[in-house]
Amino acid sequence: MQTPQQNIDLRSDFPILQREVKGKPLVYLDNAATTQKPQVVIDRVSDFLANENANIHRGVHHLSMEATDAYDGARARVAGFLNAAHPEEIIFTRGTTESINLVTNSFALPRLESGDEILLTGMEHHANIIPWQLAAQQSGAQIKVTPFTEIGEIDIDAFENLLGERTKMVAFTHVSNVLGTINPAQQMIAMAKEKGLPVLLDGAQAVPHLPVDVCALNCDFYTFSSHKLFGPDGVGILYGRKDLLNDMPPYQGGGDMIERVSFENSTFRSPPERFEAGTPNISGAIGLGAAIEYLESLDRETVHTFEQELLTYATERLKEIPGLSITGTAPEKVAVISFTLKSAHPHDIATILDTAGIAIRAGHHCAQPLMQQLGVPATARASFAFYNTIDEVDKLTEALIEVNRIFGS
Ligand code: C6P
């Protein structure tokens, strides 16, 4: 097997990667749970808090205007990153989870009636199941589920067949957090659009790995979390098509989202403010802007190629390990590898790897229906970012051989 060249070295941009865990250099392979933060993001948040902190949209004083400009600048940067047509199509939320709940409550619920169908897929994260389930319970609608194949690809024929007379909404993950599969989003959206259906994409696992163009995709809603995109936590994005957002009622009420308030009747601002009640996570949004600026300074083509080489190399190395089985082998996938070992439970694997300073995730990954289709209660998952190395893949492999040795396989 040819060892790929480590042709990019961005590790020094990420201070946490210099630390040790349990006396060993940290090998951070839990990037699908959250990514690490480059110094430029840490500095931007710290600088805002130290020198620019003020509430936004409220003050006429200098600091408040500066903070408002920085916050709105971050919104414009996100709009550019997703190729949204207007910055007003970008709403700051707390995360992917809140973004999806906003859509189910404010867009879907008023439109759903008893007997309607919401089409999801079998590889959704709970964040893209439960909000729809709650909307279905309140409206009498039903959830329909597109199955996936043995290698972890969407069954596209089944998807097309499930787009029926009663379907009112389609929602699916762009990239699976367990299988790593990149779904054929453009094709699926085109199929839904042929029937005039609105589509939400959960982009939580896509944005760290793929360029996303919401106009080219032709989706109605796109969601992601800052913390998975090298930005601060507690910040999420909802992209929504302007004409749809304009027609949607507020999701939450409070300050900053109103035009006029009286005890008899109140009127609301236009999007995005209509959906950003109360003081948002100002420093977090500005930090996300800095994370995107950082990403845009990289040659994303080179980064993507390197991640794919890491994935290929890691897949080949893990296949050497007796009793190891990889879950999710679709040809189109990001650098996420879920696996089981005959000798040990995923939690035992993660615990032993931790003693070697290696951080992976074990469990159902908030995707219990997916686990049910796989017929396993849990998997171990190594998920990579562009700052991971070939050497770290070798360490992972050695540690897994050690797991087999300890459990007597
Ligand atoms: N997946 C993982 O380890 P929040 O928590 O709102 O930032 O993101 C939720 C979410 C939604 N969709 C997908 C596809 C996701 O992967 C996640 C978060 C993490 O896989 C934590 S469970």
Side-chain angles (χ1 to χ4, degrees):
M1 186 194 337
Q2 210 188 345
T3 308
Q5 284 292 312
Q6 187 84 33
N7 52 2
I8 47 170
D9 181 13
L10 302 166
R11 285 181 78 75
S12 54
D13 294 344
F14 293 80
I16 204 169
L17 300 179
Q18 322 306 321
R19 70 163 282 184
E20 294 193 338
V21 167
K22 307 209 164 148
K24 312 261 170 42
L26 168 66
V27 176
Y28 187 75
L29 301 178
D30 197 15
N31 293 286
T34 199
T35 50
Q36 298 303 346
K37 319 304 171 200
Q39 189 66 51
V40 284
V41 168
I42 299 165
D43 288 347
R44 185 65 193 97
V45 172
S46 161
D47 190 48
F48 174 79
L49 295 175
N51 300 309
E52 300 165 38
N53 180 51
N55 211 330
I56 54 163
H57 297 152
R58 287 165 172 83
V60 289
H61 61 78
H62 182 82
L63 268 189
S64 175
M65 286 192 271
E66 242 179 50
T68 303
D69 282 352
Y71 182 78
D72 290 342
R75 192 193 305 281
R77 200 167 268 287
V78 176
F81 180 70
L82 293 178
N83 196 31
H86 313 278
E88 308 87 79
E89 295 183 318
I90 303 299
I91 293 155
F92 284 114
T93 63
R94 281 192 305 121
T96 306
T97 302
E98 190 177 53
S99 299
I100 297 173
N101 276 280
L102 197 164
V103 174
T104 58
N105 278 280
S106 186
F107 178 78
L109 251 184
R111 289 168 173 76
L112 286 172
E113 286 172 11
S114 182
D116 287 347
E117 291 175 1
I118 302 160
L119 182 56
L120 308 179
T121 81
M123 60 171 85
E124 299 310 316
H125 185 280
H126 297 164
N128 205 24
I129 299 175
I130 307 297
W132 298 110
Q133 221 162 42
L134 294 173
Q137 279 160 10
Q138 284 182 55
S139 61
Q142 279 191 345
I143 304 279
K144 293 283 165 183
V145 183
T146 310
F148 58 88
T149 66
E150 211 158 293
I151 62 168
E153 280 183 318
I154 282 294
D155 182 338
I156 198 78
D157 294 334
F159 177 76
E160 194 165 26
N161 289 334
L162 282 163
L163 291 167
E165 287 293 299
R166 299 184 143 183
T167 314
K168 285 284 146 53
M169 182 83 216
V170 178
F172 63 90
T173 193
H174 196 173
V175 168
S176 161
N177 67 321
V178 178
L179 308 164
T181 311
I182 305 170
N183 283 321
Q186 203 143 5
Q187 186 186 5
M188 292 167 78
I189 293 166
M191 285 171 169
K193 288 289 152 194
E194 234 170 70
K195 313 236 165 177
L197 295 171
V199 182
L200 175 142
L201 245 73
D202 172 353
Q205 299 293 344
V207 285
H209 302 287
L210 309 172
V212 172
D213 181 332
V214 288
C215 288
L217 281 168
N218 196 22
C219 59
D220 300 285
F221 299 102
Y222 197 93
T223 62
F224 73 86
S225 299
S226 157
H227 71 95
K228 293 189 200 290
L229 191 71
F230 315 97
D233 47 23
V235 179
I237 293 299
L238 171 64
Y239 157 81
R241 253 181 45 208
K242 196 173 175 181
D243 55 327
L244 299 181
L245 292 177
N246 279 335
D247 275 354
M248 284 160 56
Y251 169 53
Q252 292 179 333
D256 214 28
M257 46 78 75
I258 51 85
E259 282 171 347
R260 291 181 67 83
V261 177
S262 74
F263 281 110
E264 289 71 40
N265 190 22
S266 301
T267 56
F268 308 116
R269 292 175 73 180
S270 302
E273 286 82 10
R274 185 187 301 164
F275 302 106
E276 294 180 5
T279 301
N281 185 342
I282 304 167
S283 61
I286 291 168
L288 170 61
I292 292 175
E293 190 176 357
Y294 172 78
L295 277 177
E296 288 176 341
S297 76
L298 308 178
D299 176 355
R300 287 205 86 192
E301 195 57 43
T302 309
V303 166
H304 180 70
T305 307
F306 176 65
E307 277 187 16
Q308 287 293 311
E309 285 172 0
L310 262 185
L311 172 65
T312 308
Y313 181 71
T315 305
E316 291 304 313
R317 292 275 1 237
L318 294 197
K319 279 187 191 161
E320 290 168 15
I321 297 166
L324 188 142
S325 163
I326 293 178
T327 301
T329 52
E332 294 292 321
K333 65 178 280 191
V334 301
V336 168
I337 306 181
S338 281
F339 59 92
T340 50
L341 260 186
K342 275 209 180 101
S343 66
H345 187 276
H347 283 123
D348 293 327
I349 300 173
T351 305
I352 291 169
L353 262 54
D354 184 52
T355 63
I358 303 173
I360 63 159
R361 187 171 172 192
H364 54 62
H365 313 293
C366 300
Q368 286 184 5
L370 184 154
M371 293 290 149
Q372 277 153 23
Q373 181 174 333
L374 294 176
V376 293
T379 67
R381 183 188 68 186
S383 51
F384 300 83
F386 51 76
Y387 44 60
N388 291 120
T389 66
I390 302 304
D391 180 50
E392 289 179 322
V393 174
D394 291 338
K395 283 185 175 147
L396 171 69
T397 312
E398 282 153 29
L400 288 170
I401 291 168
E402 179 65 7
V403 173
N404 263 348
R405 199 193 56 73
I406 291 170
F407 285 91
S409 166

